Amino acid sequence: MAKLVLLTLCLVGLFSCTVNGRPATFLQDFRVTWSDSHIRQIEGGKAIQLILDRNSGCGFASKYQYLFGRVCMKIKLVPGDSAGTVTAFYMNSDTDNVRDELDFEFLGNRSGQPYTVQTNVYGHGKGDREQRVNLWFDPAADFHAYCILWNHHQVIFSVDDVPIRVYKNNEARGVPFPKFQPMGVYSTLWEADDWATRGGLEKIDWSKAPFYAYYKDFDIEGCQMPGPASCASNPNNWWEGAAYQQLSPQQATRYHWVRANHMIYDYCTDKSRYPVTPPECMAGI
């Protein structure tokens, strides 16, 4: 059986973790990509805090890339008046014209308004597949689990085990699907008030700064790259199993509930951008 690379990140100490049974530290397996002075350990190192102020936002990334699997993060988003801020959690192939990318972007709000999560998928450099959902809870009041499951059949974005988006492999319809390039795991907190809240109408209120987002309980299971080529193609990897090739009836019910009650934008129905409905939008789940 091909070697299954299992990476469990538990955030004990400053990203002190276990990787394939060995102790690991943040510096061994992660790197700060932007403004290390704005990333702090808290609660004795069991969690981290990302900071956005007038000087800078910040970000970090895995040192390793993965080809298929599942990545989850527990995040507590910026509280209060967070308009114009974006907290992002995504996977990216770190390539230019033909990049693959799977995005969660949490768009800040004016106090009392719902938080919006935008998802997007890039396959072989083709993106512009945005969907937006208003979260049905206050994501700044406590931690919630955000996961991306990625296999040969589909990509599922989920919130607390509730699927909010399914992107199927529609290569048979001529739609590129990310399956050749490994991707790293990234997270950032940054200013985007030119577009993030109500299309840029709501600007950051810097009198409320600094802004904080919190992270804990990272969990990545997948084929680490570089590594055995046979890992990613192994049908015995748990994430390739029959249970993960389509939604269960219970998952489908939750998925349709989210989309019926909380979806506020879907590129599939945006006739101004896509007069002809994209082929993947016709396939359903």
Side-chain angles (χ1 to χ4, degrees), residues 141-202:
D142 203 352
F143 287 94
H144 293 267
Y146 304 93
C147 297
I148 300 171
L149 176 82
W150 171 35
N151 61 29
H152 283 80
H153 306 278
Q154 62 184 358
V155 176
I156 300 176
F157 296 83
S158 63
V159 178
D160 292 334
D161 293 325
V162 177
I164 66 167
R165 181 170 188 174
V166 178
Y167 187 80
K168 303 290 285 187
N169 184 338
N170 279 293
E171 289 179 307
R173 296 172 180 257
V175 180
F177 185 80
K179 70 176 189 180
F180 298 109
Q181 300 187 99
M183 290 190 266
V185 181
Y186 296 81
S187 190
T188 56
L189 174 59
W190 56 292
E191 170 196 353
D193 67 4
D194 58 333
W195 66 272
T197 307
R198 293 185 60 217
L201 296 178
E202 306 284 356

Side-chain angles (χ1 to χ4, degrees), residues 15-86:
F15 278 80
S16 176
C17 326
T18 301
V19 181
N20 293 331
R22 67 169 175 82
T25 67
F26 174 61
L27 293 178
Q28 284 176 304
D29 290 282
F30 291 88
R31 56 190 172 90
V32 174
T33 56
W34 179 22
S35 189
D36 57 359
S37 64
H38 285 57
I39 298 180
R40 297 175 181 170
Q41 60 174 325
I42 58 174
E43 298 177 7
K46 294 180 180 179
I48 61 166
Q49 177 190 67
L50 269 60
I51 303 166
L52 168 65
D53 58 25
R54 285 183 178 272
N55 295 317
S56 184
C58 59
F60 65 92
S62 61
K63 286 185 177 178
Y64 304 103
Q65 292 185 317
Y66 304 88
L67 190 54
F68 302 113
R70 183 184 66 184
V71 55
C72 296
M73 295 186 183
K74 287 186 179 177
I75 306 173
K76 183 161 65 172
L77 297 174
V78 174
D81 188 344
S82 57
T85 69
V86 173

Side-chain angles (χ1 to χ4, degrees), residues 98-236:
V98 293
R99 84 177 186 274
D100 292 334
E101 187 168 306
L102 308 172
D103 294 339
F104 270 117
E105 291 180 303
F106 304 95
L107 312 182
N109 60 5
R110 287 268 97 99
S111 298
Q113 299 300 311
Y115 242 102
T116 298
V117 56
Q118 175 172 286
T119 58
N120 201 357
V121 175
Y122 281 79
H124 305 182
K126 173 65 173 68
D128 298 324
R129 297 185 175 101
E130 300 91 347
Q131 294 182 352
R132 292 186 180 187
V133 169
N134 281 342
L135 293 172
W136 52 95
F137 53 85
D138 181 358
D142 203 352
F143 287 94
H144 293 267
Y146 304 93
C147 297
I148 300 171
L149 176 82
W150 171 35
N151 61 29
H152 283 80
H153 306 278
Q154 62 184 358
V155 176
I156 300 176
F157 296 83
S158 63
V159 178
D160 292 334
D161 293 325
V162 177
I164 66 167
R165 181 170 188 174
V166 178
Y167 187 80
K168 303 290 285 187
N169 184 338
N170 279 293
E171 289 179 307
R173 296 172 180 257
V175 180
F177 185 80
K179 70 176 189 180
F180 298 109
Q181 300 187 99
M183 290 190 266
V185 181
Y186 296 81
S187 190
T188 56
L189 174 59
W190 56 292
E191 170 196 353
D193 67 4
D194 58 333
W195 66 272
T197 307
R198 293 185 60 217
L201 296 178
E202 306 284 356
K203 303 300 184 181
I204 287 183
D205 182 353
W206 287 111
S207 71
K208 303 294 195 302
F211 302 99
Y212 303 107
Y214 301 85
Y215 294 71
K216 67 177 184 178
D217 298 349
F218 288 40
D219 183 19
I220 303 175
E221 300 179 56
C223 293
Q224 183 176 303
M225 297 293 166
S230 57
C231 180
S233 61
N234 184 1
N236 294 318

Side-chain angles (χ1 to χ4, degrees), residues 163 251-261 285:
Q251 287 175 318
T253 297
R254 292 174 175 177
Y255 170 82
H256 289 300
W257 173 80
V258 168
R259 297 175 75 80
N261 294 283
I285 63 170

